[in-house]
Amino acid sequence: MSSKTFRGGVHPKKYKELAEHIAFEYFPAPDEIILPLSQHLGKEAKPLIKKGDEVILGQLVAQADGFISAPIHSSVNGKVLSIGKEVTPLGFPKDSIVIKASENSVDKRFTFPPLDPETITPDEIRQRVAEAGIVGQGGAAFPTYVKLSPPEDKVIDVVIINGCECEPYLTRDYRLMIERPDDLISGLKLIMKTLGVKRGVIGIEDNKPEAIKILSHKVEYEEGIEVVSLKTKYPQGAEKMLIKAVTGKEVPPGKLPMDVGAVIQNIGTAIAIHDAVVKGEPLTRAALTVSGLGIRQPKNLYVPVGTPIQNIIEFCGGVTEDAVKIIVGGPMMGIAQYNLQAPVMKATSGILVLTKKEVTESEETPCLRCGQCVDACPLNLMPTKLARYTQLKRYEDAEGIGITVCMECGTCAFTCPANIPLVQWIRLGKQKVLQMQKERAEK
Ligand code: SF4
Ligand code: SF4
């Protein structure tokens, strides 16, 4: 099978061997969970409980508030301790529900009535996905039912399952593909049914031959579903790169995948859809990888949403003496943590503990004008100019050369020999430009 790909990108060291052979394990219920009301893109959910209330696993504790929002369910049995600002892995506090877990956490639980995937209608799937609180597991945490409800004038002809997992260290998608291939295919078929699409593609990077083999075998007799092998290159899993590699189509700047007829879903999202429809389970668990040379026992875990990072690190044997940095997410796009009480959220893909060896501290020097960042940018942007305009507060100029198009993948910063923190500058400039655009629209 020949592998497809896109222009640009980089090849960071993978470190996948640390956790790729380790089967998923269930993390036991923690003593306390912290559930941020905003674990998704869009408006935060509205609490339905108050301090002192008893709740059970799977119970709806906060309802979606608006079209782009998602409900939140308790991931333990217990008692509500408080509702207020709590630390999050995003680096700033958010309104959250804190629940003290009771000891018999697995005895009682709420589930929806299971539905038959053969006879279920597209609207019933959408409704179940919405009420189960499913959000994209690939990072941005966009409410999934919104993605499954494209405007009528958009014709969708392909559903692509993102099996690239191109960030170093992370192995949860790989493990899910080889441990739960049938559930993944069931989820994909439900997505295809919802959108009325006849073609489904599972795109997998070619450094995961076992996943390609298992899934290719499983889809042999599935009509309209194929497995496509993609070149191992970061950021192959970015939506626009994936569409380009699989269909050859380019998503124009400012447009969405659905504008070129594609809907992308992550591996974990497809499995969550299967679990919600077929088993009636609301989304209360995050599947994640704990890895890095700084963690004593790397693992792939199903963790109750809301579990503090500290508990997970202890469950994995603690950190080594030379551990220097903890990141939530992958090393390219993840966020460094300063408070280990921050909880796992619905879309948390990994917790990495890195040692000095993996984190090269290097001093920033002036730009060499070498153009390496421009060559590497998969979106043909000029990272060096975007960063410079931000530094000079020339936000309109930054807007003019497409700062809002940047997907913050970190490829440019990875290549920069001058160690300029390009993504941080671009992220800052992008926020300013988006604010400017919002103010313009309100005038
Ligand atoms: S972070 Fe933005 S500018 Fe840098 S390579 Fe990625 S898309 Fe291009
Ligand atoms: S890679 Fe770094 S040094 Fe080279 S042009 Fe881009 S910002 Fe400047």
Side-chain angles (χ1 to χ4, degrees):
M1 197 185 283
S2 68
S3 299
K4 302 182 175 186
T5 194
F6 63 96
R7 170 217 175 265
V10 287
H11 295 91
K13 188 164 166 19
K14 288 284 167 187
Y15 290 103
K16 300 269 190 192
E17 68 287 353
L18 295 174
E20 68 188 348
H21 301 298
I22 302 170
F24 264 100
E25 205 180 313
Y26 283 88
F27 184 90
D31 292 341
E32 205 171 288
I33 55 160
I34 302 163
L35 296 175
L37 293 172
S38 177
Q39 300 191 40
H40 49 265
L41 220 67
K43 209 163 164 207
E44 72 176 27
K46 254 196 198 152
L48 293 172
I49 37 80
K50 55 183 187 328
K51 187 177 168 182
D53 283 356
E54 300 277 350
V55 295
I56 62 165
L57 173 61
Q59 180 179 330
L60 180 67
V61 291
Q63 68 187 12
D65 188 16
F67 180 55
I68 302 183
S69 183
I72 293 165
H73 303 79
S74 177
S75 59
V76 292
N77 292 344
K79 191 173 193 169
V80 178
L81 281 185
S82 63
I83 304 175
K85 291 260 184 269
E86 299 288 339
V87 63
T88 69
L90 305 171
F92 45 86
K94 278 179 179 271
D95 284 331
S96 308
I97 301 170
V98 181
I99 300 173
K100 173 97 189 140
S102 52
E103 279 178 15
N104 58 346
S105 267
V106 286
D107 294 352
K108 293 176 277 185
R109 67 179 305 177
F110 168 82
T111 50
F112 302 103
L115 298 166
D116 180 354
E118 296 302 323
T119 55
I120 193 170
T121 67
D123 277 343
E124 285 169 331
I125 301 173
R126 271 186 213 105
Q127 193 190 337
R128 175 56 59 85
V129 167
E131 62 193 1
I134 299 173
V135 301
Q137 301 286 290
F142 194 73
T144 302
Y145 84 98
V146 183
K147 253 191 177 182
L148 297 183
S149 316
E152 273 177 18
D153 61 329
K154 304 282 177 212
V155 181
I156 309 297
D157 46 40
V158 61
V159 173
I160 305 174
I161 298 290
N162 182 356
C164 293
E165 199 165 51
C166 57
E167 278 260 17
Y169 296 93
L170 302 183
T171 55
R172 68 162 187 175
D173 289 353
Y174 170 69
R175 290 304 314 178
L176 288 173
M177 285 189 275
I178 62 172
E179 290 182 35
R180 302 186 60 189
D182 294 322
D183 297 346
L184 168 61
I185 293 164
S186 160
L188 169 57
K189 282 158 77 174
L190 287 164
I191 299 165
M192 290 165 67
K193 185 170 192 175
T194 315
L195 296 165
V197 166
K198 298 268 174 281
R199 184 179 177 214
V201 177
I202 305 171
I204 308 174
E205 276 193 333
D206 56 12
N207 64 346
K208 302 174 185 67
E210 189 64 14
I212 293 176
K213 192 171 130 200
I214 291 174
L215 283 161
S216 300
H217 176 66
K218 292 274 180 191
V219 301
E220 226 171 311
Y221 300 105
E222 296 287 353
E223 209 179 316
I225 301 182
E226 62 186 302
V227 172
V228 171
S229 165
L230 302 163
K231 266 212 179 99
T232 300
K233 182 161 75 167
Y234 182 84
Q236 183 63 75
E239 286 196 338
K240 291 185 178 181
M241 311 306 86
L242 193 52
I243 294 170
K244 173 81 179 143
V246 169
T247 69
K249 290 183 190 166
E250 301 231 4
V251 181
K255 296 283 178 191
L256 297 168
M258 66 171 74
D259 292 309
V260 294
V263 164
I264 314 278
Q265 296 286 0
N266 188 262
I267 298 286
T269 318
I271 292 177
I273 292 173
H274 163 85
D275 288 346
V277 171
V278 179
K279 300 191 202 158
E281 289 179 358
L283 185 62
T284 60
R285 274 194 318 244
L288 54 87
T289 301
V290 187
S291 189
L293 296 175
I295 191 87
R296 290 192 195 275
Q297 295 156 20
K299 289 178 189 284
N300 293 295
L301 293 172
Y302 293 117
V303 178
V305 170
T307 304
I309 295 168
Q310 179 70 43
N311 297 33
I312 298 166
I313 288 176
E314 282 163 16
F315 186 72
C316 296
V319 304
T320 59
E321 268 142 34
D322 53 351
V324 292
K325 193 173 190 179
I326 295 180
I327 293 175
V328 162
M332 303 296 280
M333 294 187 75
I335 300 176
Q337 300 298 304
Y338 64 94
N339 186 337
L340 299 184
Q341 280 313 304
V344 161
M345 307 224 284
K346 286 181 184 180
T348 301
S349 55
I351 296 170
L352 306 182
V353 184
L354 307 181
T355 60
K356 262 200 171 141
K357 189 181 155 204
E358 299 153 283
V359 182
T360 42
E361 274 183 61
S362 28
E363 226 164 273
E364 184 181 335
T365 53
C367 175
L368 307 166
R369 303 202 179 282
C370 63
Q372 286 192 51
C373 56
V374 180
D375 290 342
C377 176
L379 297 180
N380 296 317
L381 296 170
M382 286 184 285
T384 173
K385 273 196 167 180
L386 294 173
R388 191 81 192 118
Y389 284 152
T390 304
Q391 286 162 347
L392 297 170
K393 299 194 170 54
R394 288 170 58 182
Y395 302 123
E396 283 181 4
D397 290 328
E399 183 184 21
I401 57 166
I403 197 164
T404 56
V405 174
C406 169
M407 58 180 163
E408 303 176 20
C409 65
T411 304
C412 50
F414 180 81
T415 60
C416 178
N419 303 307
I420 299 170
L422 291 164
V423 193
Q424 274 92 329
W425 283 114
I426 296 172
R427 204 175 269 163
L428 178 70
K430 197 170 145 184
Q431 279 166 8
K432 299 276 183 197
V433 171
L434 290 173
Q435 182 61 31
M436 229 165 62
Q437 291 179 340
K438 199 171 155 217
E439 283 164 11
R440 248 186 254 145
E442 283 166 2
K443 266 185 199 166

